[in-house]
Amino acid sequence: MDRAAVFDVDGTLVDTNHLHVTSWWEAFRQAGHDVVMHDIHRAVGLSGHDLIAHLLGDGRDTSQDDTINAAHKTLYATYSDRLPALPQAGRLLRTLAGQGWSVILATSASGAELDALRRAIDADDAITATASAEDVGEGKPAPEPVQRALELAGVPADRALFVGDTVWDMEAATRAGVLSVALRCGGIPQRDLEDAGAAAVYQDPADLLDQLDDSPVGLLKTRLDGAHPGTRAPS
């Protein structure tokens, strides 16, 4: 395969963002911090320690970070066996794999959390590889997760696309030089996603699948199919 479709997971393929918000809110509360849920929602997509730093600031007591992060994981795991995939998430991945895309997951999840997310998607047969939090030094919005996904796929940035649901996803893809497509099912406004670099915005995986041929995904496929493998796609 000479092209890659890289996907975020939380809020993009699995309906977890609001569960993360509630779990983080309670984890902060247990540590003595009142953090507004709206602010937590806008920070979802960052790695755990980056999210804590973003919300509590540099002047926080950093000795609490591990405790807050662990509390979030424990609270979130309470529902891990009931995580719902977003509409047509698995079918979208299988459709792309059937079209010759290497489907790569790029997520801040790892271990048991990642296993639960993959069970929810139920499309392991379509997934080529996963770039998890354990594989990178910096999470989104740094480009490293997307770059690692491209390494796993063995393709350059101009033969790939990224699908995510947060501004951090769009910024990471843009910094990696990868075409980005956004989904609104994570709860982030369309304007914010576009301002962060999204080439197009769809409601959820089902909406993208319905419009796939006319989407940036379909247009990139057409361009790449017209280019000799290993060469740069025409502008």
Side-chain angles (χ1 to χ4, degrees), residues 19-205:
L19 174 57
H20 276 298
V21 170
T22 303
S23 299
W24 279 117
W25 174 82
E26 176 61 15
F28 283 122
R29 191 195 67 81
Q30 290 178 6
H33 301 284
D34 292 324
V35 183
V36 178
M37 285 193 179
H38 172 78
D39 293 338
I40 298 173
H41 182 217
R42 300 305 294 265
V44 167
L46 294 171
S47 67
H49 286 288
D50 287 344
L51 181 145
I52 294 167
H54 179 77
L55 291 170
L56 297 186
D58 293 336
R60 71 191 186 284
D61 178 2
T62 57
S63 67
Q64 290 187 320
D65 285 10
D66 287 343
T67 300
I68 295 171
N69 202 32
H72 162 262
K73 288 182 180 296
T74 298
L75 292 160
Y76 176 85
T78 303
Y79 299 92
S80 62
D81 61 340
R82 287 170 275 175
L83 298 178
L86 283 154
Q88 300 294 342
R91 185 179 173 195
L92 174 60
L93 299 191
R94 289 192 177 92
T95 298
L96 292 173
Q99 292 180 353
W101 296 90
S102 291
V103 176
I104 313 293
L105 304 183
T107 174
S108 58
S110 61
E113 181 181 341
L114 178 56
D115 291 342
L117 292 168
R118 293 186 66 146
R119 285 195 300 273
I121 300 166
D122 192 25
D124 277 356
D125 54 305
I127 299 170
T128 302
T130 300
S132 73
E134 298 171 343
D135 300 316
V136 297
E138 286 188 275
K140 306 164 195 168
E144 190 176 349
V146 181
Q147 293 167 338
R148 177 57 181 153
L150 298 183
E151 291 173 1
L152 291 170
V155 301
D158 64 306
R159 303 189 72 87
L161 60 93
F162 182 88
V163 182
D165 71 295
T166 68
V167 295
W168 318 114
D169 291 329
M170 300 302 103
E171 291 177 6
T174 299
R175 293 176 184 180
V178 174
L179 174 72
S180 60
V181 174
L183 304 182
R184 291 194 59 244
C185 43
I188 302 302
Q190 179 167 337
R191 178 63 180 273
D192 291 359
L193 295 166
E194 291 172 340
D195 288 347
V201 182
Y202 298 88
Q203 181 60 35
D204 54 23

Side-chain angles (χ1 to χ4, degrees), residues 200 202 208 210-219:
Y202 298 88
L208 176 56
D210 286 344
Q211 303 186 61
L212 194 60
D213 289 346
D214 295 324
S215 73
V217 182
L219 297 177

